[in-house]
Amino acid sequence: MTTVLAELFTLMLMAFALGMDAFSIGIGMGMIQLRLRQIFYIGITVGLFHVWMPLLGMMTGKFLSEKFGAFAAYAGGVLLIVLGIQMVLASFKDDDSSVMTPVGFGLLLFALSVSLDSFSVGLTLGIFGARTAAAVICFGAAATILTWAGLLVGRRVQGWLGSYSEALGGFILFAFGIKLLLPF
């Protein structure tokens, strides 16, 4: 029972870390004064992408772990570290110029862009044999809620939280990558 709770806690932390990307971008997007109905649909769309992308990653990761064993486990840890570093570095870029409109194709592109990293994390979770249903539910719920929060905060503030939230998510993923590589 303790193992299940520990895994669920770990999955929720990872889901939070991955959702911070959607939160930070949502803050910038929320500044274009979206209606509440639009915010609702954007959050649901991002949440669905955060369900399907890690699911695809987990299926791929399970396949790789069966074929490549321990090497795949180390690759998963390195992947989380690289992803975390990339998120931290991206948080320091001053790229506020490209706020896409969250309608139609722009919404799908936004949802895909903030969920690509969840594919990589899903790949790692598949290698380590995480519980699939728990992972995708945590990832989808966290992404939906954090997207809504980011869009709503964006309506109120002028972006002072955005880069810091993405950096926090990157540090969390980096720490999990180190934990996977160094068993302690």
Side-chain angles (χ1 to χ4, degrees):
M1 182 67 173
T2 305
T3 307
V4 173
L5 290 176
E7 182 178 353
L8 188 59
F9 180 73
T10 301
L11 289 173
M12 288 191 300
L13 268 177
M14 291 181 117
F16 176 78
L18 290 172
M20 291 309 279
D21 196 21
F23 175 79
S24 62
I25 294 173
I27 289 175
M29 192 175 289
M31 288 184 212
I32 62 173
Q33 296 300 318
L34 300 169
R35 294 189 327 244
L36 290 177
R37 178 181 231 167
Q38 289 173 300
I39 289 172
F40 175 78
Y41 288 126
I42 293 168
I44 295 294
T45 304
V46 170
L48 289 173
F49 269 78
H50 270 80
V51 166
W52 286 105
M53 294 300 282
L55 185 61
L56 292 173
M58 289 178 85
M59 291 187 313
T60 305
K62 285 180 184 177
F63 171 77
L64 290 176
S65 69
E66 291 170 2
K67 300 296 180 197
F68 299 106
F71 174 75
Y74 289 119
V78 170
L79 190 61
L80 282 179
I81 290 170
V82 169
L83 187 59
I85 290 171
Q86 185 271 333
M87 283 179 70
V88 170
L89 293 177
S91 72
F92 293 113
K93 291 183 181 175
D94 291 331
D95 190 18
D96 296 333
S97 60
S98 66
V99 175
M100 67 181 86
T101 308
V103 179
F105 184 71
L107 174 58
L108 294 177
L109 190 61
F110 166 66
L112 179 65
S113 69
V114 297
S115 66
L116 280 176
D117 51 356
S118 65
F119 175 82
S120 303
V121 172
L123 184 69
T124 302
L125 292 174
I127 289 169
F128 286 100
R131 298 181 199 311
T132 305
V136 296
I137 289 170
C138 287
F139 286 14
T144 300
I145 291 167
L146 287 170
T147 300
W148 286 337
L151 291 168
L152 292 172
V153 167
R155 290 177 67 168
R156 302 270 184 240
V157 300
Q158 296 300 314
W160 54 272
L161 284 177
S163 65
Y164 298 115
S165 64
E166 190 173 0
L168 174 63
F171 282 123
I172 291 172
L173 292 180
F174 180 82
F176 276 115
I178 295 292
K179 184 183 182 317
L180 293 177
L181 289 178
L182 304 174
F184 44 84

